[in-house]
Amino acid sequence: MGHAFVSGNHLMGFFANSLNRIQPAQTIAISAKARALKAEGRDVIGLAAGEPDFDTPANIKEAAIAAIRRGETKYTDVDGIPELKKAIVAKFKRDNGLDYKLSEITVGTGGKQVLFNGLMATVDHGDEVVIPAPYWVSYPDIVQLAGGTPVIARTRLEDGYKLRQAALDQAITARTKWVVLNSPSNPSGAAYSAAELKQLTDVLMDHPHVWLLCDDMYEHLVYDGFRFATAVEVEPRLRDRCLTMNGVSKAYCMTGWRIGYGGGPEPLIKAMAKLQSQSTSNPTSVSQWAAVEALNGPQDFIEANNRVFRERRDLVVSMLNQSRGLSCPTPQGAFYVFPSCEGTIGRTAPSGRVIGSDEDFATELLGSEGVAVVHGAAFGMSPYFRISYATATSALEDACQRIQRFCASLR
Ligand SMILES: Cc1ncc(COP(=O)(O)O)c(C=O)c1O
């Protein structure tokens, strides 16, 4: 007899309780839905995925091929090869004016693993983590997986989705372990200037028990002459309680290579390596060598890409603001916009369904015009939605025309 069929009943009580506290990343789920519709032959434009449409630069690919040829195909140190850690130390110095030692650097399988390790290694039951909304989808779920409680701090469209000092202060309690800051932000594109960041780090100076998780993943994707700043740069006294996280996924068009990194106090870095040693071990050896080239090699393609991103941002913001019921501020970073769809709530879509939420808006837009966006609730803020403009300009224009048509069709 072959394997017995495992029925649903057999599985009751099988899965860990911790799994009930999380959900699959909705951004990935919506991209998958759009791909499935496409496979059925529907004409779908996906604006849900958070990755550049540009290819990985050739010098980075060549470095990986050379590493394979040299036989760099074995296990490496758990949290990164020394060559990559050196490149990261140099990057922090060059771009951020920060001095980290090799022992204060960690490398993981994507920025996501670095965040995961940082939170998993520190968050216990009862611990709170302050997360400004709209937030990147994974923060609350990782906190909950660790047994902690996400405390959501609200922002407003009128403030460009930037957290105010008072809102941060009010969210902090005696149980707060971390505050998460992400600038430029996924999903809003909001980017904090050094002065705006200083307002928030001032609050943290009043709460010495709180650590800061600074997610700088979109550091290089800024427009209009915006000057990027990171927290430890504006408030060096936070150095001993800050994990500065970054990665090559977005700026270097390397989402599939899975390399992220962080700089922080040595005891935290060691704890994260301990955790990683019992899960994935080292990030892929070949990808690490590609990342060495990304960080040490020419950086000029970033500016060329940014010029394209900026044009697309301007196109999308302008076309969305000409759509009935939508309102979209102009963000200065990342490759997302986060328009409000409040003006469409209560109206009736061509399918006959009344739009009661941002989720309804996204579902009806996909159904009637074949444009995939992510509803704001997935990022903890309604009624809004996220568009990723890291897509061919012609497709973006087409998608925005469809959005305009959809909005005009609402009764
Ligand atoms: C704000 C933010 N942080 C971290 C990550 C994780 O990046 P990676 O693909 O390197 O794991 C992402 C990816 O979408 C992101 O948007």
Side-chain angles (χ1 to χ4, degrees):
M1 220 172 91
H3 288 290
F5 178 71
V6 184
S7 79
N9 281 344
H10 278 89
L11 293 178
M12 265 186 52
F14 180 66
F15 295 109
N17 283 329
S18 58
L19 220 60
N20 294 329
R21 299 199 290 264
I22 63 171
Q23 52 180 338
Q26 295 192 61
T27 41
I28 295 174
I30 289 160
S31 294
K33 193 167 158 189
R35 264 197 298 275
L37 282 174
K38 234 180 201 166
E40 285 170 20
R42 285 275 317 266
D43 169 23
V44 173
I45 305 176
L47 304 181
E51 67 180 343
D53 55 320
F54 304 126
D55 198 5
T56 306
N59 62 308
I60 298 174
K61 289 182 180 177
E62 289 304 326
I65 293 165
I68 293 173
R69 295 219 163 97
R70 280 199 313 277
E72 309 277 8
T73 54
K74 304 289 205 289
Y75 290 132
T76 74
D77 290 342
V78 164
D79 67 350
I81 54 176
E83 291 82 354
L84 180 51
K85 289 190 179 180
K86 274 185 206 144
I88 293 164
V89 165
K91 176 261 171 270
F92 275 131
K93 184 73 190 163
R94 173 179 76 227
D95 297 340
N96 313 111
L98 301 181
D99 289 298
Y100 282 112
K101 298 194 290 254
L102 285 195
S103 58
E104 295 172 314
I105 300 296
T106 187
V107 183
T109 300
K112 195 178 245 177
Q113 189 179 26
V114 174
L115 291 165
F116 188 89
N117 287 344
L119 291 168
M120 276 291 168
T122 54
V123 174
D124 275 321
H125 284 268
D127 288 341
E128 295 175 355
V129 176
V130 174
I131 302 171
Y135 46 71
W136 180 50
V137 288
S138 291
Y139 303 136
D141 287 82
I142 297 174
V143 169
Q144 275 166 317
L145 194 62
T149 306
V151 173
I152 307 306
R154 308 271 154 216
T155 67
R156 308 182 316 153
L157 179 150
E158 302 87 84
D159 297 331
Y161 305 109
K162 288 180 206 174
L163 188 63
R164 290 188 162 209
Q165 230 180 359
L168 175 58
D169 197 50
Q170 278 158 20
I172 293 174
T173 73
R175 304 182 118 181
T176 307
K177 202 154 224 174
W178 289 96
V179 168
V180 179
L181 284 182
N182 169 220
S183 164
S185 152
N186 178 2
S188 71
Y192 291 76
S193 67
E196 288 165 337
L197 213 48
K198 183 72 170 53
Q199 296 230 314
L200 300 181
T201 60
D202 281 352
V203 174
L204 291 172
M205 291 315 291
D206 292 338
H207 301 280
H209 67 291
V210 177
W211 284 56
L212 175 63
L213 214 171
C214 204
D215 182 341
D216 295 347
M217 190 52 102
Y218 295 91
E219 164 176 17
H220 294 299
L221 305 180
V222 291
Y223 317 110
D224 312 327
F226 179 87
R227 275 214 53 214
F228 174 85
T230 192
V232 177
E233 186 185 3
V234 304
E235 180 46 272
R237 289 176 296 173
L238 278 176
R239 191 187 190 285
D240 291 336
R241 50 185 172 108
C242 181
L243 176 61
T244 305
M245 184 241 118
N246 210 317
V248 294
S249 296
K250 312 287 176 169
Y252 299 90
C253 313
M254 292 175 70
T255 45
W257 298 76
R258 312 306 304 130
I259 297 290
Y261 57 86
E266 200 172 311
L268 173 65
I269 296 299
K270 273 198 174 139
M272 291 165 65
K274 181 176 171 186
L275 191 64
Q276 191 161 308
S277 77
Q278 295 298 8
S279 53
T280 57
S281 293
N282 64 273
T284 308
S285 57
V286 174
S287 292
Q288 291 191 65
W289 283 101
V292 170
E293 174 62 18
L295 295 178
N296 289 345
Q299 307 287 308
D300 44 338
F301 69 93
I302 295 178
E303 220 178 292
N305 289 355
N306 282 358
R307 274 196 292 276
V308 178
F309 280 139
R310 208 208 70 165
E311 271 173 34
R312 291 175 180 173
R313 179 204 64 178
D314 291 344
L315 172 82
V316 170
V317 168
S318 143
M319 289 185 76
L320 289 174
N321 280 323
Q322 291 165 45
S323 308
R324 210 171 70 188
L326 303 187
S327 155
C328 185
T330 305
Q332 286 182 294
F335 38 64
Y336 308 104
V337 292
F338 198 65
S340 161
C341 58
E342 197 172 358
T344 68
I345 304 293
R347 292 174 176 270
T348 305
S351 69
R353 181 159 157 203
V354 175
I355 294 177
S357 65
D358 47 29
E359 187 161 10
D360 292 347
F361 177 87
T363 305
E364 291 302 316
L365 176 63
L366 182 59
S368 65
E369 291 287 351
V371 177
V373 301
V374 186
H375 55 291
F379 309 102
M381 192 161 170
S382 292
Y384 298 81
F385 64 98
R386 186 192 78 174
I387 282 182
S388 163
Y389 56 82
T391 296
T393 310
S394 56
L396 276 175
E397 202 165 355
D398 184 1
C400 288
Q401 276 163 3
R402 296 185 194 194
I403 292 172
Q404 289 181 344
R405 195 161 60 208
F406 175 71
C407 288
S409 75
L410 302 177
R411 293 281 162 258

